[in-house]
Amino acid sequence: MSADQRRDAVTAPGFSLNTRKTGSSGWLERPPLDHIVMGVAILAFLIAFPFFNPGYRFLSLAITTGFTAIALYGLALQFGQAGIMSVGHAGIMGIGGYTAAILANQLGIGFWLALPASILLSALAAGLVGLPSLRVGGQHYIIITFCFCALLVIALTNGGDFTGAATGLDVGPIAGPFGINLAKLRNMYYLVMLALVVSLVLTYVIVHSPYGRTLWAIRENEPLARAVGINTNFHKIGVFALSGAFAGAAGILQTYYLRHISPPLYGAFPSLYLALMVMLGGARPLYGPLLGAIIVTFLPEVGGLDPIDSRIAYGVGLLLVILLLPAGVSGGLLGLYRSMIGRQRRAEKG
Amino acid sequence: MDIFLQQLINSLSVASVTILIGMGITLIFGLAGIVNFAHGEFLMVGGMVTWLLVMAGVNFFIAMFGAMAAVGVLGYVAERTLFRFTLNRPMNGFIMSIGLSVILQNVVIKALNEVQKSIPDPIAKVWVIGGVDIIAMRAIVVAITVVVVAITYFGITRSRYGVALRASVSDQDTAALMGIPVRRYVTGVFIYGSVLAGLGGALMIALFPITPFTGSVVIIRGFAVSLIGGLGNVGGAVVGGLVLGLVDALSAQYGYPQWTDAYSLVVMIVILILRPQGLLGGTLGPRAT
């Protein structure tokens, strides 16, 4: 697979956050003003959301959006930055979720101690699943990740009492610090949103750090990156592990939000939907994954669609996005925004 | 030993369906350069069309041709409206086909329902040969598959069209300069592969009940078969289908039946990692251009 094709495969160039001035120095550049404004606006909205009295249904949808978006940020890192797509991401989430559930059921370990374990194990699993990508690329690798997901579901279903077989496992509520009751939906919302904001900031930092630039170099021209002394294999596995860590955090949050997990949650189809959301939202713009998660989670509710109709709608949406907006919805919006700004500037210049 | 033989013949009929779908995928993937994840759904649609026709009182074998025609048209429409535009970006085509498979599956659920469908045995006879019971329908499924495989194999390796097709895979530009309508060949291969999926669906519903979710199970086996054999390699698809069929039959009989699906997945992952070009070698899949 040539570097050219890989770039084509991801998005049309020019819409990414990576189109920064080259030759910038310093560990992390200062974010431009419009990024800061956007970030503060989103943060304010996230904090204010429960005060609009959204009701139980919308608040729980918002929580679902939150942990889905966290997993999507991991996938976007892997797909958008390193250029490797996988349809096994729900499986990695499952590793995190089941780690937490098994720790809770076997050893009675609660959320806060299980959190690092889930993140670590998911990162490890993602790194392992990522190993074949060094040898086989493109569609072959996607099929391998698909097989991994299917295998995981079979293993979880046949795991007997340890994994709860087909019925799955239950967990208790999160023991909140300082007497905060996290069984209450609004407090759970704030916990998930905190995690979401952390992963947003982490994504921003990773993309704009020297590490992000290294990944960029690998994605654009792998032989060249290797020639200038970048250990491409190491960094690729690294990005898998990072993406797995996000998925692990998402998995444990999902487990403690649902309080009951079972194998079908982590099969091939949930993975496909995650891939779909990333494509729909756009993998490279910072808010793309969040937008994808919002669209997919809220569309059925807002549009009044039953689950089957909404799945058809996702499918059609995916086709339209690929054919018309290869950079995703957020990429399309970003392009529109930039062309408007450009026109304005040209008008000012006369 | 009798049980083993019976099990073998049964698995041969299951392998036939797998070979048909694997052959469709191997042709479309290896020769047309399109990764169609919705191929399993094409098969499922073929089975559903057969079911509808048989329920309407049509003879099974006529319904089979009906299913082939219907899925062929489906393939034509999909190629013309969707995959045509992503020929240069196989990755995007692949993601699009995932969307297509989600759409087809849910449209079928909406149009019919989620309940499994089955038809009465088209031929309910049992032949006893040397103490081994052979269900007639299963033997017929194997026979049909053998014929189709032979036609496809000789069509690709011996006929003018097959030679032209392989020429356009190995060098698109030169083939086009020699007057081969490359794009039309891509469409043709896509339709042919879809027709095979329709046939596979019809034969499948003659053997077992199917549900709208059958496609997503079958697709993985289909990819396994085509990748094990080598993309674009018809003989490879047959070998791959037989290997998977045998693994299934033997594990169902002698291994742990609840892990049956896992074996083929593991075989596939191992082969993909060790020999990405397939056991028998094939084209390298979608062209980079």
Side-chain angles (χ1 to χ4, degrees), chain A residues 9 85 135-136 139-140 142-144 146-147 150 154 158 269 272-273 308-309 311-312 315-316 318-319, chain B residues 35 37 90-92 94-96 98 102-103 106 109-110 216 220 223 258-259 261 265 268 272-274 276:
Chain A
M85 189 54 169
R135 209 182 133 80
V136 293
Q139 298 88 349
H140 287 60
I142 293 193
I143 294 165
I144 289 183
F146 195 88
C147 290
I154 295 174
N158 291 335
F269 269 81
L272 286 181
Y273 284 112
I308 290 170
D309 279 336
R311 276 184 221 133
I312 296 175
V316 174
L318 185 66
L319 297 187
Chain B
V35 191
F37 206 79
M91 195 59 199
N92 283 358
F94 179 68
I95 294 165
M96 216 163 57
I98 293 175
V102 171
I103 295 174
N106 288 292
I109 293 176
K110 203 169 168 58
S216 46
I220 279 302
F223 270 112
Q258 73 269 35
W259 291 91
D261 292 330
L265 292 173
M268 181 160 150
L272 273 176
I273 293 174
L274 297 182

Side-chain angles (χ1 to χ4, degrees), chain B residues 4 23 27 42 47 53 55 60 66-67 78 96 124 130 143 149 156 167 174 204 221 223 225 228 257 265 285:
Chain B
F4 175 75
M23 211 158 67
L27 293 176
F42 282 22
L53 289 176
M55 287 298 124
F60 169 76
M96 216 163 57
V149 166
I156 296 229
T174 312
M204 193 161 183
R221 303 179 61 80
F223 270 112
V225 165
I228 289 171
L265 292 173

Side-chain angles (χ1 to χ4, degrees), chain A residues 176-223:
Chain A
F178 321 118
I180 298 170
N181 178 12
L182 279 168
K184 221 178 130 190
L185 204 60
R186 183 183 284 194
N187 292 337
M188 188 68 198
Y189 169 83
Y190 281 118
L191 179 71
V192 172
M193 288 309 143
L194 179 69
L196 175 62
V197 170
V198 168
S199 41
L200 246 161
V201 171
L202 266 179
T203 305
Y204 189 87
V205 169
I206 290 168
V207 170
H208 291 257
S209 69
Y211 183 64
R213 269 168 283 191
T214 308
L215 292 179
W216 185 31
I218 294 175
R219 181 186 71 228
E220 296 297 325
N221 192 340
E222 197 176 331

Side-chain angles (χ1 to χ4, degrees), chain A residues 241-254:
Chain A
L242 262 177
S243 134
F246 279 90
I252 187 171
L253 283 170
Q254 184 187 32

Side-chain angles (χ1 to χ4, degrees), chain B residues 11-28:
Chain B
S11 66
L12 215 56
S13 63
V14 179
S16 297
V17 176
T18 316
I19 288 171
L20 282 178
I21 182 158
M23 211 158 67
I25 291 175
T26 214
L27 293 176
I28 291 175

